């Protein structure tokens, strides 16, 4: 019997997987726990989507995925029946309206731009007319378009994107997509409960992910390398916006957190039972505070950032709907 855990919408869940349980049994149990319809449920383990067993296939899930053992963590995506009903209610309200006239948008002050800024940028911005607080949604997209780091990346890579639009919440399991390598990029701006807006840094991170699809379509090593490069460049090109001071090589160190934070970050990402020595990764060792204390600040930053990046990339891939 394997005991696994997962978090969905801020709530932690646990379930026991028997040796004979199939993928279908696991998905049905998660659907029951989260109230997410099975058809809209997406469960990922180690970067792979778990799919129901086909007809006649009774192979247990622990046989298909031998590493799905006690303590393993899975990632769950989906929209609950309650949220789906809310979206349908909004759609019905829209259909009953005879006409829609967008409110006039007040002219905003536009900063002085050079020719490259106008050439390598995003096309028209579009928000969802059926939702409230359209001005806030438009302000988020305008902020992304005029973000110093994003402008620097667009000019550096000579990218042009046809349009930057708000992603409909009807797209239940993704946070963004890039159509035809830059024809259009759509981003989820609103929270799952449709009552507010997602944090700007989180939305910008999704935008960087989608910009990487201007070059690479698949989530392979080439894509991840470019995505990491963009996340580094956005800080280097606008490092004054970061909560920290520049150290060497484009890394950032938060004085309020100190070295202790990096020690904790290493431990939180599974460095226990392994150690860093002499600039190499040694299997079977025991990571001690003396080992990590001997590293320079830059090395500690790089170690922690690398571990965070690898873990987050798996989650980002599952929430991308690039076309």
């Amino acid at each position: 019997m394997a005991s696994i855990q997962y978090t969905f919408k801020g709530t932690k869940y646990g379930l026991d997987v028997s040796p004979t349980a199939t993928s279908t049994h696991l998905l049905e149990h998660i659907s029951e726990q989260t109230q997410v319809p099975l058809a809209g449920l997406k469960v990922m383990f180690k970067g792979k989507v778990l799919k129901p067993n086909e007809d006649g296939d009774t192979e247990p899930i622990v046989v298909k995925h031998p590493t799905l053992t006690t303590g393993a963590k899975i990632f769950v995506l989906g929209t609950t029946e309650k949220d789906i009903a809310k979206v349908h209610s909004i759609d019905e309200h829209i259909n009953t309206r005879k006409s829609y006239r967008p409110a006039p948008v007040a002219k905003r002050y536009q900063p002085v731009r050079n020719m490259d800024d106008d050439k390598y940028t995003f096309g028209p911005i579009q928000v969802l007319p059926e939702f409230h607080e359209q001005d806030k949604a438009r302000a988020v997209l305008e902020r992304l378009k005029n973000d110093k780091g994003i402008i620097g990346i667009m000019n550096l890579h000579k990218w042009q994107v046809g349009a930057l639009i708000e992603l409909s919440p009807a797209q239940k399991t993704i946070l963004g997509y890039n159509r035809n390598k830059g024809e259009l990029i759509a981003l989820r701006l609103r929270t799952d409960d449709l009552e507010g807006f997602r944090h700007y840094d989180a939305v910008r991170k999704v935008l960087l992910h989608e910009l990487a699809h201007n070059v690479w379509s698949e989530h392979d090593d080439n894509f991840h390398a470019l995505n990491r490069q963009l996340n580094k460049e956005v800080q280097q090109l606008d490092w004054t916006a970061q909560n920290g001071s520049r150290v060497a090589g484009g890394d950032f160190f938060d004085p309020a957190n100190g070295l202790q934070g990096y020690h904790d970050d290493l431990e939180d990402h599974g460095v226990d039972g392994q150690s860093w020595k002499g600039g190499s990764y040694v299997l079977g060792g025991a990571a001690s505070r003396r080992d990590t204390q001997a590293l320079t600040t830059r090395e500690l930053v790089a170690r922690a950032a690398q571990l965070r990046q690898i873990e987050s990339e798996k989650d980002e891939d599952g929430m991308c709907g690039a076309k």
Side-chain angles (χ1 to χ4, degrees), residues 92-151:
E92 291 175 1
H93 175 70
I94 295 169
N95 292 332
T96 60
R97 296 171 60 181
K98 294 182 179 180
S99 63
Y100 167 74
R101 293 183 180 180
V105 178
K107 292 184 178 179
R108 295 183 174 86
Y109 167 76
Q110 295 294 330
V112 177
R113 299 171 63 85
N114 59 41
M115 293 181 64
D116 284 343
D117 289 340
D118 292 330
K119 182 178 181 180
Y120 303 116
T121 184
F122 301 86
I125 284 176
Q126 299 176 22
V127 299
L128 298 174
E130 60 268 32
F131 289 92
H132 64 290
E133 296 186 308
Q134 296 167 38
D135 287 344
K136 287 187 178 181
R138 182 176 295 276
V140 174
L141 295 180
E142 292 280 5
R143 182 181 176 186
L144 288 168
K145 182 176 181 178
N146 296 312
D147 187 295
K148 292 181 181 179
I150 297 298
I151 290 175

Side-chain angles (χ1 to χ4, degrees), residues 54-312:
E54 297 180 355
D55 293 340
D57 180 10
T58 59
E59 184 177 24
I61 188 172
V62 294
V63 176
K64 290 184 177 181
H65 303 278
T67 56
L68 189 65
T69 57
T70 295
K73 293 183 179 180
I74 58 177
F75 188 78
V76 177
L77 290 169
T79 304
T80 64
E81 294 177 345
K82 181 179 179 181
D83 288 341
I84 292 175
K86 183 181 293 187
V87 173
H88 288 168
S89 175
I90 294 174
D91 290 340
E92 291 175 1
H93 175 70
I94 295 169
N95 292 332
T96 60
R97 296 171 60 181
K98 294 182 179 180
S99 63
Y100 167 74
R101 293 183 180 180
V105 178
K107 292 184 178 179
R108 295 183 174 86
Y109 167 76
Q110 295 294 330
V112 177
R113 299 171 63 85
N114 59 41
M115 293 181 64
D116 284 343
D117 289 340
D118 292 330
K119 182 178 181 180
Y120 303 116
T121 184
F122 301 86
I125 284 176
Q126 299 176 22
V127 299
L128 298 174
E130 60 268 32
F131 289 92
H132 64 290
E133 296 186 308
Q134 296 167 38
D135 287 344
K136 287 187 178 181
R138 182 176 295 276
V140 174
L141 295 180
E142 292 280 5
R143 182 181 176 186
L144 288 168
K145 182 176 181 178
N146 296 312
D147 187 295
K148 292 181 181 179
I150 297 298
I151 290 175
I153 283 176
M154 299 293 283
N155 289 333
L156 180 64
H157 296 274
K158 302 186 185 307
W159 283 337
Q160 295 174 307
V161 174
L164 186 63
I165 71 171
E166 181 181 3
L167 177 65
S168 170
Q171 303 283 347
K172 305 178 183 65
T173 60
I174 61 176
L175 294 178
Y177 68 81
N178 180 331
R179 180 195 297 167
N180 296 333
K181 292 188 174 182
E183 174 185 329
L184 175 151
I185 287 180
L187 302 172
R188 174 78 68 84
L189 305 181
R190 301 173 191 269
T191 54
D192 290 343
D193 60 6
L194 308 179
E195 297 298 328
F197 289 83
R198 301 179 62 240
H199 194 277
Y200 176 79
D201 288 344
V203 178
R204 187 173 73 164
K205 189 173 182 65
V206 175
L207 175 58
L208 294 173
H209 181 104
E210 300 308 332
L211 284 173
H213 281 301
N214 284 347
V215 180
W216 305 105
S217 299
E218 301 298 326
H219 293 128
D220 56 15
D221 291 342
N222 292 321
F223 172 87
H224 288 145
L226 177 57
N227 188 33
R228 293 170 193 159
Q229 177 183 337
L230 296 181
N231 276 272
K232 185 176 182 179
E233 288 174 350
V234 80
Q235 293 180 332
Q236 292 174 328
L237 294 169
D238 187 24
W239 70 273
T240 57
Q242 305 302 316
N243 293 324
S245 304
R246 180 183 293 275
V247 287
D251 298 319
F252 294 88
F253 173 67
D254 184 355
N257 193 25
L259 295 178
Q260 179 64 42
Y262 292 108
H263 288 305
D264 295 340
D265 215 4
L266 290 170
E267 293 179 351
D268 289 344
H269 288 80
V271 179
D272 270 341
Q274 302 167 337
S275 61
W276 297 98
K277 292 184 179 179
S280 62
Y281 192 58
V282 182
L283 294 176
S288 68
R289 298 207 176 268
R290 183 173 60 186
D291 292 332
T292 53
Q293 189 66 48
L295 297 175
T296 66
T297 298
R298 180 185 177 187
E299 289 172 328
L300 287 172
V301 173
R303 299 289 191 262
Q306 182 182 32
L307 292 168
R308 287 196 304 270
Q309 185 70 39
I310 293 173
E311 190 172 41
S312 67

